[in-house]
Amino acid sequence: MTIEQIANKHGFATVTKCADTSRGIKSAYCCDLLSWVMSHGTADMALITIHTHMNVIAIAALLEMSCIIIPENIEIEESVINKADEEGICILKSQKSAYEISGLLFADGILPAVK
Amino acid sequence: MEELRVNEYNLKDIYTIEAGNFVTAGEASSNIKTLLKRLGVNSSKLRNIAIASYEAEINLVIHSKGGQMELLVSPNEVIIKIDDIGPGIENIELAMKEGYSTAPDSIRVMGFGAGMGLSNMRNNADDFKIESKLGEGTHICMKFNI
Ligand SMILES: Nc1ncnc2c1ncn2[C@@H]1O[C@H](COP(=O)(O)OP(=O)(O)O)[C@@H](O)[C@H]1O
Ligand SMILES: [Mg+2]
């Protein structure tokens, strides 16, 4: 599924302004420990995390992730959104918890990355 | 630390890493990755290099007083050397242990301090060497076969 399809289906808001939402999501990972994200992250992955600082964007970009999904409508600073747009990493935001978002994506057939 | 004969390397680049600067943290690793991608390094090796270089870079930002990362590229290997100006690591064996971290709470709330950085470097590099002296600094050399 694409970022756009996921966002529309579950009512996730697209926070970034120009990052490509037609990009596919091939896997997902939910974690707030960044070294774990680093070692488990792969290309075209959706990352579900509560962190909204600059370094999450840097990590997602380095690993060529597809998008970042922020749960519970956590505030995201404008500078971080701009950085994500610059790096071409889409940020989605939802009212739902990380647990609920994970469940929705899993039910959509987006599975953990195969190592 | 093993002396490298730099003139055998076709490409050399140096990046300065500033202590405590979380805004620019990751830029060196990002530049290294962009450069190596352009040189045609395959994507799975690029991922290994990106993980290892980011962990080294973020450690300099979090734990050191600053330092530099040096990139050396030859036709069959990539070398990343990381040197900081202190404070050094007292017990390397302990620091290498997965889960061991001295990161303060202010860093942990950002998601850092899982204590996996050094092992992520060792697991992703084809060769990993670390030397450190308390009061002096830490020196890491990672080699990747390409
Ligand atoms: N460049 C460095 N300078 C000083 N201490 C360091 C450096 N790199 C790592 N350390 C020490 O080693 C520990 C483990 O590092 P690491 O495995 O990257 O985990 P983390 O960064 O999550 O704490 C750090 O908590 C710190 O005490
Ligand atoms: Mg670390």
Side-chain angles (χ1 to χ4, degrees), chain A residues 35, chain B residues 55 58-59 62-63 116-118 121:
Chain A
S35 278
Chain B
E55 291 285 10
I58 203 74
N59 272 3
I62 295 174
H63 305 293
M116 303 290 291
L118 291 169
M121 287 178 229

Side-chain angles (χ1 to χ4, degrees), chain B residues 49-101:
Chain B
I49 296 171
I51 293 170
S53 71
Y54 182 81
E55 291 285 10
E57 184 177 358
I58 203 74
N59 272 3
L60 257 55
V61 174
I62 295 174
H63 305 293
S64 89
K65 299 186 208 163
Q68 64 173 43
M69 287 173 80
E70 188 176 1
L71 171 72
L72 298 160
V73 186
S74 79
N76 46 32
E77 67 184 9
V78 168
I79 290 177
I80 300 179
K81 288 175 71 183
I82 304 104
D83 301 286
D84 68 45
I85 55 167
I89 300 172
E90 189 168 15
N91 183 340
I92 292 181
E93 205 187 319
L94 185 61
M96 290 296 303
K97 261 198 174 158
E98 291 187 0
Y100 176 83
S101 175

Side-chain angles (χ1 to χ4, degrees), chain A residues 32-36 38-42 51 53-55 58-59 61-64 83 87 115, chain B residues 22-23 25-27 29-30 33 37 47 50-51 54-55 58 109-112 114 116-117 120:
Chain A
D32 301 317
L33 286 176
L34 298 177
S35 278
W36 286 68
M38 226 38 227
S39 66
H40 293 87
T42 57
H51 296 298
H53 56 76
M54 234 27 138
N55 301 95
I59 289 169
L62 270 177
L63 296 175
E64 298 179 19
K83 173 77 174 169
E87 296 285 348
K115 276 253 164 167
Chain B
F22 287 93
V23 175
E27 271 179 15
S29 302
S30 168
K33 190 193 160 198
K37 193 172 190 173
R47 179 173 177 274
I51 293 170
Y54 182 81
E55 291 285 10
I58 203 74
V109 294
M110 293 176 78
F112 299 113
M116 303 290 291
N120 271 354

